[in-house]
Amino acid sequence: MPTRHRRLLDAPDVVIVGAGVVGAACAYYAGRAGLSVAVVDRGAVAGGTTGAGEGNLLVSDKEPGPELALALLSTRLWRELAAELPPEIEYETKGGLVVAADEPALTSLRAFRAAQGAAGVESTDVPGDRLRDLEPHLAPGLAGGVLYPQDAQVQPALAAAHLLRASGARLHLGAEVTAVLRGPGGAVRGVRTPRGDLLAPAVVNATGTWAGRLARLAGVTVPVLPRRGFVLVTEALPRVVRRKVYAADYVADVASGSAALQTSAVVEGTPAGPVLIGASRERVGFDRTLPADVLRRLAAQAAALFPVLADVRVIRTYQGFRPYLPDHLPAIGPDPRAPGLLHACGHEGAGIGLAPATGRLIAAALTDTVGPLDATPFRPGRFTEGPEPR
């Protein structure tokens, strides 16, 4: 066998492709289940969508259903992880505040809150005249809001790095997977990189927006598309924004399947001082153009919500590509079309929040044990055809 195709190391039990937070969580829980793990990534840890994320761990933006169940499980798991991982992951249980500008928006928000409450979400109604007790720098005149104490935040790149370190996985960074190896019967038996082959009886596709490409290497379709978003980062400030605060129309933007540009005010402080401002989303492929009009719109919406930010300097901006699936649910679990291939992808903008529950489900599938919740809605086999990633 040519040297370039030799096995890199002793065969692990599973190869996880992708060193973002989802891949890191899969590695962590697979390692805790007693499996030997290798993690392969063409770049660095958190070099893709994870590194461009705000670190949101949200239940407030999810309607009742499978994704909310996944988020509630992850909320509990993130609390456990925060006790086990170093404080550098910056886990904060600061809560989220969703605000409505007028009475019609507030009526819709309260109806949404009632449905979430029946599904296990904790929340408190906040009258308009009490909003500034929670966030003193909010704009006056808002109709009201809902406080979600279960919402939290982490520093996503550091969380991914510490999950990987705690997993005991062997890392192969800067090694792009060029083929998914399959045996005579079609079963997956490892991956190929320019450095050589890495053999394993199971491969997990945790490649985010590139998950469709890796799936194609295995001969299957998972129709992941990139959905671009921008975040503005201000200069360091005193804690002028205490929680994650966003306008009620953000929930509709999250649930929308539109390819057009959508923006809604999302503002949150960080322990280090900068304020993070979002959120935009649009399907433009992997176009990395930095449109000034979108950035101005985000800044204006944030200043309308928090007037104190109007004269604050934005010191940088970054963009990321959320891995979008057409039914707004991630693909998690074994792919029946390629035995030995599992997917952990398509979380769109919620991957950081949903990573621990995803990791638990993948670990259960790898060990053929009962998972913490019903994974049927996330089955990768539900996709038999669809658009290819651009």
Side-chain angles (χ1 to χ4, degrees):
M1 179 179 293
T3 300
R4 67 180 181 276
H5 288 164
R6 71 180 184 274
R7 187 171 42 164
L8 292 175
L9 295 166
D10 291 338
D13 294 315
V14 57
V15 172
I16 296 170
V17 187
V21 71
V22 172
C26 291
Y28 177 84
Y29 287 106
R32 285 189 58 175
L35 302 178
S36 59
V37 182
V39 175
V40 183
D41 197 294
R42 65 180 182 177
V45 172
T49 299
T50 294
E54 295 174 76
N56 295 326
L57 316 178
L58 304 182
V59 298
S60 57
D61 63 344
K62 295 171 180 64
E63 62 185 23
E67 189 184 28
L68 179 57
L70 202 65
L72 287 168
L73 172 60
S74 278
T75 295
R76 298 193 294 272
L77 294 175
W78 270 118
R79 289 197 199 104
E80 295 174 5
L81 290 169
E84 298 169 12
L85 299 177
E88 284 78 11
I89 70 168
E90 296 182 9
Y91 175 75
E92 274 196 292
T93 54
K94 60 185 180 182
L97 181 63
V98 186
V99 297
D102 52 36
E103 286 301 325
L106 184 59
T107 298
S108 296
L109 179 59
R110 285 171 173 166
F112 187 71
R113 175 205 170 204
Q116 289 179 309
V121 175
E122 301 171 16
S123 64
T124 303
D125 185 74
V126 184
D129 60 1
R130 300 301 302 273
L131 286 173
R132 298 179 80 180
D133 293 344
L134 301 175
E135 292 287 347
H137 296 286
L138 264 175
L142 295 168
V146 175
L147 177 66
Y148 288 90
Q150 291 163 300
D151 282 359
Q153 186 179 21
V154 293
Q155 208 293 339
L158 291 174
H162 285 290
L163 281 168
L164 285 171
R165 179 175 295 176
S167 75
R170 191 178 294 271
L171 301 184
H172 302 274
L173 302 177
E176 182 171 4
V177 171
T178 57
V180 175
L181 306 175
R182 300 181 71 172
V188 166
R189 61 182 186 89
V191 299
R192 176 161 294 163
T193 78
R195 299 178 190 171
D197 293 352
L198 184 56
L199 304 184
V203 172
V204 177
N205 177 10
T207 56
T209 50
W210 297 98
R213 175 186 176 277
L214 189 76
R216 290 199 303 276
L217 292 178
V220 299
T221 296
V222 178
V224 173
L225 291 170
R227 206 174 185 191
R228 186 175 69 182
F230 294 95
V231 175
L232 309 182
V233 184
T234 75
E235 62 188 311
L237 302 170
R239 202 63 184 260
V240 297
V241 183
R242 300 175 179 178
R243 296 165 183 81
K244 178 185 177 69
V245 183
Y246 63 87
D249 56 356
Y250 172 76
V251 176
D253 286 356
V254 169
S256 170
S258 173
L261 172 66
Q262 297 167 310
T263 64
S264 50
V266 180
V267 185
E268 59 191 309
T270 65
V275 173
L276 306 181
I277 297 170
S280 69
R281 55 190 70 225
E282 57 185 328
R283 293 213 310 269
V284 291
F286 286 102
D287 181 0
R288 289 190 171 275
T289 304
L290 200 66
D293 60 326
V294 175
L295 305 183
R296 283 194 293 267
R297 187 190 300 188
L298 290 173
Q301 289 175 329
L305 196 60
F306 284 93
V308 69
L309 298 177
D311 297 320
V312 170
R313 290 183 304 157
V314 172
I315 59 173
R316 66 185 179 96
T317 183
Y318 56 88
Q319 63 180 290
F321 296 96
R322 305 177 182 95
Y324 166 85
L325 280 168
D327 62 359
H328 296 286
L329 291 178
I332 305 172
D335 193 320
R337 302 164 294 183
L341 177 67
L342 299 89
H343 299 284
C345 59
H347 299 77
E348 200 174 335
I352 296 162
L354 302 180
T358 299
R360 281 284 305 275
L361 289 176
I362 291 294
L366 288 168
T367 55
D368 197 24
T369 55
V370 177
L373 52 76
D374 180 15
T376 302
F378 313 112
R379 65 195 185 282
R382 70 190 191 268
F383 301 110
T384 58
E385 60 182 17
E388 299 291 354
R390 289 184 285 170

